[in-house]
């Protein structure tokens, strides 16, 4: 097996481009967290709207029948039980297996920023989930999702899910900050590599990749 090693000039130019990318990424990391907070504020929904905090006027659904007969509602869950029954990605949305007070199990998309507790402990308190609504959908059309969310127990219904996010959907902090920084570093490295190499070649430090015609002549 033949091992190929990159020339020193290629490694050096890649390293210089990468260092410049790290510098730009560092600058971006100073400003992006502030932008993320602004972004979160722009996507915050009001109380009693879909995905918002549910006050005492919002209907407390007990069963699937309650869900299907009310336009909007909330659900009271025991502690963080809604996080422990199973979950999975359906069409890019993360859905939890939510146990209703009736014992029925349904899929729910939950805005964690709008959850409230009636006690000091999130594990033992009653949890009031955000305001939600029914979205009709065939969950079985994605078998891998069904395998994920039903790994403990089968859903009572697979023809809908509860949307408790609505307009409150936001990117994660990692997606908003880390991903752009990584792209900045990568793109900067790629763009500056030929620039540094061209400069070095011009001054005779590096060999040309493509020697200019006038130099050949």
């Amino acid at each position: 097996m033949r091992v190929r090693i990159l020339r020193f000039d290629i490694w050096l130019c890649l390293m210089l481009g990468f260092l410049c990318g790290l510098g730009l990424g560092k600058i971006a990391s100073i400003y992006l967290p502030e932008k993320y907070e602004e972004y979160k504020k722009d996507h915050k929904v009001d109380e009693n709207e879909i995905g918002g905090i549910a006050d005492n006027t919002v209907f407390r659904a007990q069963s699937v029948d309650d869900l299907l007969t009310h336009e909007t509602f909330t659900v009271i869950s025991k502690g963080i039980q809604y996080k422990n029954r199973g979950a999975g990605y359906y069409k890019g949305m993360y859905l939890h297996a939510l146990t209703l007070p009736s014992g029925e199990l349904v899929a729910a998309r939950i805005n964690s920023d709008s959850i409230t507790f009636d006690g000091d402990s999130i594990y033992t308190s009653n949890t009031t989930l955000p305001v939600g609504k029914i979205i009709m959908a065939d969950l079985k059309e994605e078998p891998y999702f069904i395998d994920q969310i039903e790994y403990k127990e089968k859903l009572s219904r697979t023809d809908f899910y509860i949307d408790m996010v609505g307009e409150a959907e936001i990117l994660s902090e990692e997606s908003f900050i880390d991903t752009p920084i990584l792209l900045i570093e990568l793109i900067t490295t790629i763009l500056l590599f030929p620039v540094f190499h061209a400069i070095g070649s011009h001054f005779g430090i590096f060999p040309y990749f493509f020697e200019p015609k006038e130099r050949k002549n």
Side-chain angles (χ1 to χ4, degrees):
M1 182 177 66
R2 182 178 296 178
V3 178
R4 297 184 180 275
I5 301 176
L6 291 177
R7 295 189 330 228
F8 171 75
D9 56 311
I10 296 177
W11 278 114
L12 181 59
C13 293
L14 282 173
M15 183 185 70
L16 291 173
F18 178 66
L19 289 175
C20 290
L22 285 179
L24 290 177
K26 185 67 175 178
I27 294 173
S29 69
I30 296 173
Y31 295 101
L32 283 175
E34 182 179 343
K35 293 295 183 182
Y36 183 68
E37 292 304 317
E38 294 177 3
Y39 167 77
K40 286 174 63 177
K41 289 179 181 178
D42 291 340
H43 287 75
K44 188 174 182 179
V45 296
D46 294 333
E47 191 174 276
N48 292 344
E49 290 186 0
I50 303 299
I53 294 174
D55 68 13
N56 293 329
T57 66
V58 178
F59 178 74
R60 269 58 175 162
Q62 301 291 314
S63 64
V64 168
D65 285 342
D66 286 345
L67 301 180
L68 295 174
T69 53
H70 289 79
E71 185 175 351
T72 61
F73 48 79
T74 186
V75 175
I76 306 298
S77 177
K78 292 294 184 181
I80 57 171
Q81 184 185 52
Y82 64 92
K83 287 187 175 182
N84 299 324
R85 304 295 293 175
Y89 282 96
Y90 173 75
K91 295 185 176 180
M93 299 177 294
Y94 194 63
L95 305 183
H96 290 280
L98 171 64
T99 303
L100 301 176
S102 64
E104 295 167 297
L105 198 67
V106 296
R109 186 177 178 221
I110 302 171
N111 177 19
S112 59
D113 291 334
S114 296
I115 292 173
T116 58
F117 305 93
D118 67 1
D120 296 329
S121 172
I122 64 174
Y123 301 103
T124 58
S125 303
N126 281 335
T127 303
T128 303
L129 299 180
V131 180
K133 66 177 180 180
I134 288 293
I135 302 293
M136 304 306 297
D138 182 8
L139 303 183
K140 286 187 176 179
E141 67 182 356
E142 296 199 14
Y144 181 67
F145 161 72
I146 291 294
D147 289 341
Q148 286 180 308
I149 200 168
E150 291 188 340
Y151 86 98
K152 281 189 174 181
E153 184 180 349
K154 289 188 176 299
L155 297 175
S156 301
R157 295 283 292 264
T158 57
D159 57 340
F160 70 80
Y161 67 89
I162 302 174
D163 180 15
M164 291 180 168
V165 175
E167 297 300 319
E169 179 180 11
I170 61 172
L171 294 173
S172 67
E173 187 171 2
E174 178 181 349
S175 298
F176 191 92
I177 297 177
D178 294 349
T179 301
I181 289 176
L182 180 62
L183 288 175
I184 288 172
E185 294 172 350
L186 179 62
I187 292 172
T188 301
T189 302
I190 293 172
L191 292 179
L192 290 186
F193 165 72
V195 174
F196 284 128
H197 199 278
I199 293 173
S201 300
H202 176 74
F203 288 103
I205 302 173
F206 307 140
Y208 282 100
F209 284 137
F210 304 101
E211 191 172 3
K213 289 183 180 180
E214 60 270 18
R215 185 179 175 85
K216 289 181 180 180
N217 295 333

